[in-house]
Amino acid sequence: MFAYVGSRTTRERNARGDGISVYRCDPVTGALELVQVLGDLLNPSFLALNKAGDRLYAVHGDSEEISAFAVDRSTGRIAFINRQRTQGKNPVHLALDPTGCFVVVSNHITSSLAVLPIEADGSLGGLTQLLKLEGEPGPHRKEQPFAKPHFNPFDPSGRYVIVPDKGIDKVFSFRFSDGQLSPAEVPQMLAREGSGPRHVAFHPKQPWAYVINELDSTLTACTLDAATGRVTPFQITSGLSDRYTGNSRASEIEVHPNGLTLYASNRGEDTIAVLAIDDATGRLQLIQSMPCGGKTPRFFALTPDGCFMHVLNEDSDTIVTMAVDAQTGKLGATGHSLLCGSPVCMVFRA
C-alpha cells in the first residue's frame, strides 16, 4: 500500500514542505517508508486519487490551480500531467464524482465551487461551471467576513455534494447531475452561529453525516436523506476534553470503516478526539482525547482497514502513526514517527 502526502511549501505560510511525498505503508506495523518527493509544487494542500489508483489530483492552496499526476501502479511514483485554473482563490478541497469524469473544487477565499472535466487520459479539462455561494457572514470578526466553502465531498449515493461553509455557518447540499451542480430540494442546513462548519464525514452503514465545526471545536450529528440530499442536525457535542480550557480549532473528521467510532482533530489542544457512535441513534460520546504527538494536527487519515491512524502535525513537521484498538476504537502509540515538512493531507492507494 502507498500513501501520498501533500505539504505546504510557501514562505507566506511559514511552510517547510517540499511538495508531494510518496510513502510505502507497512500493513502490519503501519510504518511509512519514503519512496519519492515530487518538489517544485506550490502548496499541494489536498489530494484525491481516482478509483483505478493511476491518477492523483491536487489543489494548490493560496493559488488558483489544480494539477493532475500519473501514478505508476507498481512503484507508486507520480509524474506531472497538466494543470488548470479553478477561476477562484485558494482552492482547499477537491472531490471526484463517482464516474471519474469530473472534479469539484472549493475556492475558499472567493466563495465558489468549481467543476472541471477529467479527460479520458486523466488530464484536466478547462472549467465548465463556477457556482457562487452567498449568505450572511457569521459573527467571528476575523474568520467569517464572507462565504468560505472548505469541503465538498460526494455523499454515499454519489448524487449530492455536501459543502460545509465556515464563513456563513451553513452546510449546503447540491445535486450533481450531467457534470453540473444545482441546489438540492432542501439546499442548506443552518449551523450554530459562530461555529464555522469545516468538514463532514459520512457513516458507512446508516444515513448519518457528521460535521466538524472549526471555530467552536464542536461536532454536529445529522441525518442525511439520500432521496433529497437534506441534512438535518440532531446533536451538537464538544470535541475537546472538559479539562482543556485554552483556545483550540477543530480540523479533520473521519468515521471508522466499521461505523462504531468517530475521530476529530483539535489544533490547540493538540489531540485526536475519539467518540463512540451509538449504533441505534447515531449520537456521539467522547471516550478519549489522545495527544497527537506533535503540534497542530491539521489532518489525519485512517488506513483503509482501520487498523492504524496517521496524524499529520503541520507545525511540528511530523507524521505520527497510532494503532486503533479493534474493540473500542481508542488510539494507542506505536512508536512510529517520521519527519515531513508542513504535512496537511494524506490519501492511500492499495
Side-chain angles (χ1 to χ4, degrees), residues 20-71:
I20 298 177
S21 302
V22 183
Y23 296 92
R24 183 173 285 104
C25 184
D26 189 312
V28 177
T29 67
L32 300 172
E33 177 189 1
L34 185 64
V35 172
Q36 177 194 15
V37 177
L38 187 65
D40 293 326
L41 298 174
L42 175 68
N43 293 332
S45 54
F46 212 97
L47 311 176
L49 282 158
N50 66 350
K51 289 181 180 179
D54 60 0
R55 295 292 184 268
L56 178 75
Y57 300 90
V59 292
H60 298 282
D62 297 336
S63 73
E64 299 180 0
E65 294 178 319
I66 175 176
S67 292
F69 303 87
V71 180

Side-chain angles (χ1 to χ4, degrees), residues 90-216:
N90 193 17
V92 292
H93 184 251
L94 73 166
L96 278 65
D97 83 307
T99 70
C101 295
F102 297 93
V103 61
V104 181
V105 181
S106 290
N107 289 317
H108 188 57
I109 297 301
T110 48
S111 313
S112 62
L113 300 176
V115 180
L116 296 91
I118 297 174
E119 308 296 348
D121 63 356
S123 64
L124 293 159
L127 182 141
T128 55
Q129 184 183 19
L130 188 67
L131 191 152
K132 185 78 171 178
L133 302 184
E134 297 178 339
E136 184 70 22
H140 195 293
R141 289 183 299 172
K142 180 179 179 181
E143 296 289 351
Q144 297 185 304
F146 42 72
K148 286 185 171 185
H150 210 293
F151 206 57
N152 55 259
F154 284 81
D155 82 317
S157 76
R159 293 181 296 170
Y160 296 96
V161 175
I162 308 300
V163 185
D165 193 300
K166 187 176 81 171
I168 59 177
D169 294 324
K170 290 182 179 180
V171 177
F172 290 96
S173 183
F174 294 97
R175 184 181 293 275
F176 191 81
S177 180
D178 297 324
Q180 291 283 295
L181 293 162
S182 60
E185 183 177 316
V186 180
Q188 57 190 247
M189 180 198 88
L190 296 179
R192 178 176 287 173
E193 186 178 80
S195 61
R198 178 183 172 93
H199 284 188
V200 61
F202 304 108
H203 195 278
K205 303 172 184 177
Q206 301 291 342
W208 300 326
Y210 297 93
V211 177
I212 190 163
N213 302 306
E214 177 179 337
L215 301 182
D216 66 1

Side-chain angles (χ1 to χ4, degrees), residues 19 34 39 47 191 223 244 272 301 322 341:
L34 185 64
L47 311 176
T223 58
Y244 183 75
I272 304 298
M322 298 181 181

Side-chain angles (χ1 to χ4, degrees), residues 14 16-17 36 43 80 135 175 181 202 210 230 258 264 268 282 309 347:
N14 190 31
R16 298 156 299 281
Q36 177 194 15
N43 293 332
F80 177 76
R175 184 181 293 275
L181 293 162
F202 304 108
Y210 297 93
R230 181 174 184 169
N258 65 17
M309 175 185 287
V347 294

